[in-house]
Amino acid sequence: MPTGPATDGTGSARSRERFLQGEPVETGVRASILNSWQRCGSLGLSPDQDDLPFRDDFDPDGRIVRAAAPVLDRLQYRFAGSAMNISVADANGTVLLRRFGEASMARALPAIQRVPGFVFAERVAGTNGIGLALAERRLIRVYGAEHFAERSQGSACRALPVRDPLSGRIEGVLCFGYPRSAENPALDTVIRKAAQAIERRLLGQSSARGRALLQAYLDAGGRTAAGPHRGIGVDELALELRPRDRSVLVGKAAELISRGDRAAVDVHLSDGRRVTLVSRPVTSASGVAGIAIEAVLPGLSPGMSFAVPHQADEPLGLPAELAGVPGVPGVPLSGVAHAAPVPEHRSVTASSRPLPVAESGEGVTTSGADGATDDHPDSAPPARGLVLVGEPHVGTYALAARRRLELLSEVSTRIGTTLDIRRTAEELAETAVPRLADFVTIDLPEAVLRGEEAADPGGDLRRTVVHGIRDDLPFWPVGKRVDYGPTTPQLRSLTSGQAVLEPDLKAAAGWLAQDPEHTGQLLSHVHSLIAVPLAARGVVLGVVGFYRGQDPVPFGDDDRSLAQELATRAALSIDNARRYTRERTMVLALQRSLLPHGLPDQVAVDVAHRYLPAESDVGGDWYDVVPLSGTRVGLFVGDVVGHGMLSAATMGRLRTAARSFAELDFPPDDVLTHLDNLVGRLDREDPTSDGGGIIGATCLYAIYDPTSQQCTMARAGHPPPAVVHPDGTVSFPELPAGPPLGLGGLPFEATEIPLPEGSQLVLYTDGLIEDRQRDVDVVLDQLREVLAHAERTPEDTCQAVLDTVAPAHPCDDIALLVARTHALDPDRIAAWELPADPALVSDVRASAVRQLADWGLDEAAFAAELMLSELVTNAIRHGAGPIRVRLLHDRTLICEVSDASNTAPHLRRAASTDEGGRGLFLVAQLARSWGTRYLPQGKVIWAECGLAGV
């Protein structure tokens, strides 16, 4: 075989040179090879190192040698005359067997490598087939310059771990070595089939031991004084057992075998019956020690009869002396035997021998364990039946496998109970501790915690969960940013997408190199690690670390597979939570963007508000504060039925429309009527509704007038408000409920109530008081008690209500609006009433000028005088008496003229030949704003002037 460095200029050769020179290597080399190079560098290996360790303490007649030798002989025959060498190494990388296609090839090797015993583990030999197959625990191909050592770069190799089918442990490695020029993809198939042949031979060894134990048990029973154990209890009982009871019986039997000593345990079945399991040591003729588990049933009740189980044909490959024994390996507990090959499980399932049959009028009768007959059923002895036979260490594997299956079954019910990312990660850790690991750490990127996909999953990891059997270990705390180096198991698992097992952390160079001081502290508490990536639907979500410290047994391949399965299932739940978080964040952002961002400038009320989204989803609750003419203010609170993006979008449309209707100075009942029509139209326009009314909403609208200290309210299917009077008493006004918005055709009714200065009006949505776990009347009493503090500010009231009345885990949105009323000083109000006489217009102007002088508003007198003149003249000419004039001195000067006519003026452009039509144009030019509002009888034309320096 060629030796020496590769000189063919391949990509791997160039990448290797750059790596050895300390340059970054990102492309041109496979991840498994790069990880191995990095580990070799961390271990301080030299690429020109020639010597390899040699061991002479291996077992030359071990299980793997006996299983592999015939297979290697056939491979040697198949590759005769080729430059192929075939090796088998043990689980430590020590070569135990070697075959060559050409005998002359052995002379090209160093003398120490021609005989079994030299070690090819990665930690001493660098990147090579055997060492990398043990590190990666899968089929590996190493080609040319991918070898770390220069001595091997002229060759290529394929290596595959060989596992014990019963325990799942790696027993050794099968390796094909050949020149680079002999590379052939078909070798993958050949090496897999050869490894399977070796594994079948390993299984055959274990199966033979199990059959020997079964024969020993049967022979021992035949030699007892009372004759063979003839119980049919388990056979017949199994026909009536529920699946869970059968599972419990077999599980307890496997647990007894794993103990390896005499014991007895009572198993209570779901129907109230009791079965006693008894363990009996047995030893085969060849000296194999094992345990037999018998089931002992209470005495048979009078008149009870059983059918004798079938006898089966002789199973393929079993000794003739076992023919006809129901329940040979592969037979279920039911006792009905079928011919079958030896299965790949860890214990041998069996039942008792067939029993002699005696004819009787009562049916088939049997002999008991002590030789007594059933002639006297009142004194029937217990019946016995064989459940399992196995070796203690094999039983341990079976018990462990069973517990792993139970853990995986439990995962589906324990992980993913919420759609919270952090809680789901905590559930994974709580499930794994202590049944798999002693400590679990979970690191998630910051982007994933926000519900997004991480651009670089390994670049922005945050410690999200630390959970274990103790809380005082020096793991990085929750919330800390975690930076993993390129050789650490965690980053290797993120890069490869596979679980990485480090059975001995003291020898894990990549893990130790991460942070020597921190890892040194951990080594006194943990000794074994499995790093598993959390990936679902093509998205890498983070990495989980399973640590073992108190359990002296290090992690193995079975544990790695279990950890991978746990992480895979948990990753799906975490990804579901991530997707939900992303959608909820988007909906919540939309919801908040559609709610008021600030409070408008007005003096009628002091306002505080809160919006609290539901835990599960965002709904369509909303509120608004709308300044109105005449220093009045409109207060809205509403709730759109449903949750999610549609409800939030509908809420935005509804709030916009409600504000528009309010600014048109419609009274509350008219505003609700317009909103009702709007919701009905939205529903009809929705293509998914078919006019069936899928959109619905509730709303409450209140208008407070600080000049009269009156509040007019109307509601559409919404909870009534709470009123806190200045003396602290709390009441819930009786308002006509009105139908929810969207039903159409039903009227709304407004109610006017007095609100003295200092009162508080509390508006809220049903999420505050309605909860499945609480009675509404009790909640309203709590609300009444919390609000009975008139001295609180609106902000304090909002916080107190949320802290005391709101549910701890709201299932619906909560919108809360608290307004404390003010009254406009009567000295800032001036009003006159006059008949419809044009001669009185000058008197009104003069009175207004004097009033403005008293208020110190001389600068606004000219504009106010001109606007009043035009408005009063229009009212006299086009309206109906009586005519009322009012001046309000607030932050602005408001001029109001009302009459009894419902005809409203309209602003228009007068032609050059027109003698009139310019009055409202002048008003619009002089006023900051102007408009019309309707009264029950008549209308009000108002104009607002800004005041400089006010």
Side-chain angles (χ1 to χ4, degrees):
M1 295 178 60
T3 59
T7 58
D8 56 1
T10 63
S12 296
R14 291 194 299 270
S15 298
R16 179 177 178 276
E17 291 304 318
R18 291 200 306 270
F19 173 79
L20 293 177
Q21 293 171 9
E23 299 178 9
V25 178
E26 299 178 356
T27 59
V29 61
R30 291 177 289 149
S32 59
I33 299 298
L34 179 58
N35 290 337
S36 180
W37 288 354
Q38 291 171 339
R39 291 193 296 268
C40 294
S42 300
L43 293 167
L45 299 180
S46 173
D48 56 2
Q49 179 178 345
D50 285 331
D51 57 324
L52 293 173
F54 181 82
R55 296 180 55 186
D56 57 4
D57 57 348
F58 64 90
D59 185 0
D61 193 34
R63 296 181 66 232
I64 186 66
V65 173
R66 288 185 281 111
V71 179
L72 262 62
D73 291 340
R74 292 196 297 272
L75 289 172
Q76 183 179 27
Y77 176 78
R78 175 170 182 170
F79 290 109
S82 68
M84 176 70 73
N85 73 89
I86 307 107
S87 304
V88 168
D90 63 13
N92 297 315
T94 303
V95 174
L96 306 177
L97 296 172
R98 196 157 199 178
R99 301 288 190 270
F100 299 95
E102 292 182 359
S104 60
M105 292 178 57
R107 294 192 291 272
L109 296 175
I112 195 173
Q113 297 185 20
R114 299 174 190 171
V115 295
F118 64 90
V119 180
F120 253 121
E122 184 187 68
R123 66 180 181 276
V124 294
T127 306
N128 67 90
I130 293 175
L132 192 53
L134 288 172
E136 296 285 334
R137 287 174 160 73
R138 59 188 177 89
L139 177 62
I140 286 295
R141 182 181 72 92
V142 183
Y143 181 87
E146 291 179 338
H147 289 88
F148 187 78
E150 292 188 2
R151 67 174 180 272
S152 303
Q153 293 185 41
S155 63
C157 64
R158 275 176 168 77
L160 178 64
V162 177
R163 300 174 183 271
D164 184 339
L166 290 181
S167 67
R169 294 182 307 176
I170 291 179
E171 293 288 338
V173 178
L174 175 62
C175 181
F176 289 179
Y178 45 89
R180 294 199 309 268
S181 59
E183 173 64 28
N184 189 338
L187 289 175
D188 282 352
T189 302
V190 177
I191 195 171
R192 289 184 188 278
K193 290 184 176 181
Q196 291 171 2
I198 298 174
E199 290 173 349
R200 283 196 299 269
R201 293 182 59 82
L202 287 172
L203 176 63
Q205 295 177 18
S206 300
S207 299
R209 297 162 69 94
R211 290 196 299 269
L213 287 174
L214 177 59
Q215 184 61 53
Y217 169 79
L218 296 174
D219 291 343
R223 289 193 297 267
T224 60
H229 290 276
R230 299 177 178 179
I232 48 84
V234 176
D235 290 331
E236 289 302 322
L237 181 63
L239 298 176
E240 307 171 15
L241 284 182
R242 298 175 182 175
R244 179 169 180 81
D245 289 337
R246 297 177 63 181
S247 177
V248 169
L249 277 176
V250 176
K252 288 294 184 180
E255 185 176 349
L256 286 174
I257 290 177
S258 67
R259 295 179 185 176
D261 54 8
R262 286 184 176 273
V265 61
D266 287 339
V267 180
H268 294 274
L269 306 182
S270 58
D271 58 3
R273 289 180 291 177
R274 175 178 56 84
V275 177
T276 302
L277 296 180
V278 180
S279 62
R280 291 180 50 198
V282 293
T283 303
S284 69
S286 60
V288 177
I291 299 292
I293 305 299
E294 293 178 333
V296 182
L297 281 72
L300 303 178
S301 60
M304 191 173 184
S305 62
F306 296 97
V308 179
H310 303 332
Q311 298 189 26
D313 297 332
E314 181 178 349
L316 180 64
L318 295 181
E321 59 270 21
L322 295 184
V325 178
V328 292
V331 178
L333 188 62
S334 64
V336 181
H338 301 280
V342 178
E344 296 185 9
H345 50 61
R346 298 178 174 84
S347 297
V348 180
T349 307
S351 63
S352 58
R353 289 179 179 270
L355 305 177
V357 180
E359 299 292 340
S360 73
E362 299 295 329
V364 179
T365 56
T366 61
S367 298
D370 57 356
T373 66
D374 288 337
D375 295 335
H376 305 284
D378 292 337
S379 59
R384 292 176 177 265
L386 181 63
V387 180
L388 290 178
V389 173
E391 298 177 64
H393 69 279
V394 177
T396 302
Y397 298 144
L399 183 61
R402 183 180 185 84
R403 289 176 176 172
R404 292 186 182 103
L405 290 175
E406 292 174 351
L407 180 58
L408 290 176
S409 176
E410 186 178 337
V411 166
S412 60
T413 59
R414 291 196 59 181
I415 299 179
T417 59
T418 68
L419 286 172
D420 181 82
I421 297 176
R422 287 182 172 84
R423 180 56 196 151
T424 304
E426 291 171 355
E427 288 170 345
L428 168 60
E430 292 168 358
T431 302
V433 175
R435 299 169 67 176
L436 172 62
D438 295 327
F439 304 94
V440 173
T441 63
I442 300 177
D443 306 314
L444 303 178
E446 189 69 29
V448 171
L449 294 173
R450 296 194 303 267
E452 305 168 5
E453 294 185 11
D456 180 13
D460 188 23
L461 291 172
R462 298 280 176 177
R463 178 58 49 86
T464 306
V465 174
V466 178
H467 181 69
I469 57 177
R470 293 166 49 192
D471 298 330
D472 58 345
L473 264 64
F475 287 105
W476 285 321
V478 171
K480 178 180 174 59
R481 180 187 174 95
V482 180
D483 293 315
Y484 288 116
T487 62
T488 56
Q490 287 86 349
L491 196 60
R492 285 161 49 201
S493 71
L494 285 173
T495 303
S496 65
Q498 300 294 324
V500 174
L501 169 62
E502 291 290 358
D504 185 5
L505 287 178
K506 293 182 179 179
W511 185 78
L512 294 170
Q514 165 71 10
D515 185 347
E517 181 178 355
H518 179 252
T519 53
Q521 296 173 354
L522 280 177
L523 278 178
S524 60
H525 304 283
V526 297
H527 58 74
S528 189
L529 163 68
I530 301 175
V532 189
L534 292 168
R537 304 181 181 99
V539 178
V540 179
L541 305 170
V543 62
V544 54
F546 299 92
Y547 292 86
R548 188 168 283 179
Q550 180 172 331
D551 189 340
V553 180
F555 285 123
D557 287 307
D558 284 346
D559 298 313
R560 184 183 66 164
S561 300
L562 177 59
Q564 179 84 61
E565 183 66 22
L566 284 177
T568 299
R569 299 190 184 191
L572 288 173
S573 297
I574 293 176
D575 189 51
N576 290 338
R578 180 192 67 83
R579 290 167 178 257
Y580 167 77
T581 300
R582 178 184 60 186
E583 181 176 340
R584 185 175 188 273
T585 301
M586 293 171 57
V587 176
L588 186 58
L590 174 63
Q591 170 88 338
R592 293 192 183 280
S593 70
L594 296 175
L595 290 173
H597 291 179
L599 297 178
D601 188 15
Q602 50 82 35
V603 295
V605 291
D606 293 332
V607 179
H609 55 84
R610 294 289 190 276
Y611 170 72
L612 184 64
E615 279 194 350
S616 58
D617 206 350
V618 178
D621 290 18
W622 60 283
Y623 58 88
D624 207 349
V625 179
V626 185
L628 302 175
S629 63
T631 68
R632 298 172 306 140
V633 65
L635 304 173
F636 278 104
V637 65
D639 182 5
V640 176
V641 175
H643 296 85
M645 189 75 73
L646 177 61
S647 294
T650 304
M651 177 275 292
R653 301 170 72 178
L654 195 61
R655 175 181 170 254
T656 301
R659 189 177 186 90
S660 300
F661 296 144
E663 289 177 343
L664 291 174
D665 264 326
F666 291 146
D669 51 341
D670 285 353
V671 169
L672 294 183
T673 299
H674 288 297
L675 290 177
D676 181 56
N677 295 332
L678 172 66
V679 173
R681 185 170 67 253
L682 292 176
D683 190 57
R684 290 190 298 271
E685 293 173 354
D686 192 323
T688 63
S689 69
D690 293 330
I694 64 170
I695 298 176
T698 65
C699 183
L700 188 150
Y701 180 38
I703 297 178
Y704 173 69
D705 188 348
T707 63
S708 63
Q709 301 179 42
Q710 295 291 317
C711 183
T712 305
M713 293 181 284
R715 64 187 179 118
H718 202 83
V723 175
V724 183
H725 299 277
D727 60 358
T729 59
V730 179
S731 64
F732 296 91
E734 292 291 337
L735 303 181
L741 300 177
L743 295 183
L746 297 175
F748 299 95
E749 185 178 350
T751 300
E752 187 174 80
I753 62 172
L755 284 183
E757 184 175 15
S759 301
Q760 286 191 5
L761 183 63
V762 181
L763 311 180
Y764 52 86
T765 56
D766 56 1
L768 178 68
I769 60 174
E770 294 182 4
D771 183 49
R772 290 188 296 268
Q773 309 298 327
R774 304 184 299 173
D775 183 81
V776 173
D777 293 334
V778 175
V779 177
L780 289 176
D781 290 340
Q782 292 177 347
L783 180 60
R784 188 190 304 272
E785 182 179 350
V786 171
L787 294 178
H789 296 274
E791 74 282 358
R792 284 179 177 158
T793 65
E795 285 288 342
D796 293 339
T797 300
C798 278
Q799 196 60 47
V801 168
L802 291 185
D803 291 343
T804 307
V805 181
H809 303 283
C811 58
D812 194 8
D813 291 15
I814 297 175
L816 178 64
L817 189 67
V818 178
R820 168 171 284 174
T821 62
H822 295 290
L824 188 62
D825 190 343
D827 293 338
R828 288 178 170 253
I829 303 174
W832 302 274
E833 185 173 336
L834 64 155
D837 185 356
L840 300 178
V841 174
S842 59
D843 295 340
V844 172
R845 290 202 305 265
S847 299
V849 170
R850 287 193 299 270
Q851 183 64 61
L852 293 177
D854 293 341
W855 285 343
L857 303 178
D858 295 321
E859 294 181 1
F862 174 76
E865 182 182 4
L866 185 55
M867 287 189 299
L868 279 177
S869 178
E870 293 295 335
L871 294 177
V872 172
T873 300
N874 280 341
I876 292 174
R877 287 183 178 181
H878 306 290
I883 296 172
R884 298 179 180 84
V885 179
R886 189 169 70 162
L887 295 180
L888 303 176
H889 179 199
D890 191 25
R891 296 183 179 182
T892 60
L893 176 64
I894 301 172
C895 305
E896 295 182 347
V897 177
S898 63
D899 65 84
S901 172
N902 289 326
T903 303
H906 298 282
L907 182 65
R908 64 183 179 88
R909 182 177 295 277
S912 59
T913 58
D914 291 342
E915 295 182 0
R918 297 174 178 83
L920 284 181
F921 179 78
L922 291 175
V923 172
Q925 296 300 312
L926 294 172
R928 174 186 293 179
S929 60
W930 73 279
T932 303
R933 72 173 180 267
Y934 290 92
L935 302 174
Q937 291 83 31
K939 65 181 180 298
V940 176
I941 310 297
W942 58 270
E944 183 177 338
C945 297
L947 300 177
V950 179

